[in-house]
Amino acid sequence: MSARRVHSRYRRHLADAAMGSRPVVIDLSVRRLFCDTTRCARRTFAEQTAGLTVKQ
């Protein structure tokens, strides 16, 4: 089941190795979502962007 209720939004800045002489920075807008399942250990969580971010 996927979460649908949005709690809030925030910006993430991902930095990576330089490409040539230019730094690489990715600016994302990420949603925090509510978990409505009673078994969830957390009430809110941040969405992940496939290929860019992973849960740690």
Side-chain angles (χ1 to χ4, degrees), residues 2-37:
S2 61
R4 295 181 184 175
R5 290 192 314 138
V6 176
H7 175 273
S8 59
R9 296 178 194 276
Y10 68 98
R11 298 201 73 76
R12 288 184 72 181
H13 305 281
L14 308 176
D16 203 348
M19 192 156 221
S21 62
R22 300 187 138 184
V24 176
V25 178
I26 299 170
D27 190 20
L28 295 174
S29 177
V30 179
R31 297 179 299 175
R32 287 203 65 78
L33 302 162
F34 285 104
C35 182
D36 292 325
T37 304

Side-chain angles (χ1 to χ4, degrees), residues 28-56:
L28 295 174
S29 177
V30 179
R31 297 179 299 175
R32 287 203 65 78
L33 302 162
F34 285 104
C35 182
D36 292 325
T37 304
T38 57
R39 296 182 307 235
C40 282
R42 296 182 180 203
R43 297 308 300 159
T44 66
F45 59 95
E47 69 181 339
Q48 302 301 310
T49 305
L52 289 177
T53 61
V54 293
K55 183 179 174 183
Q56 292 191 13

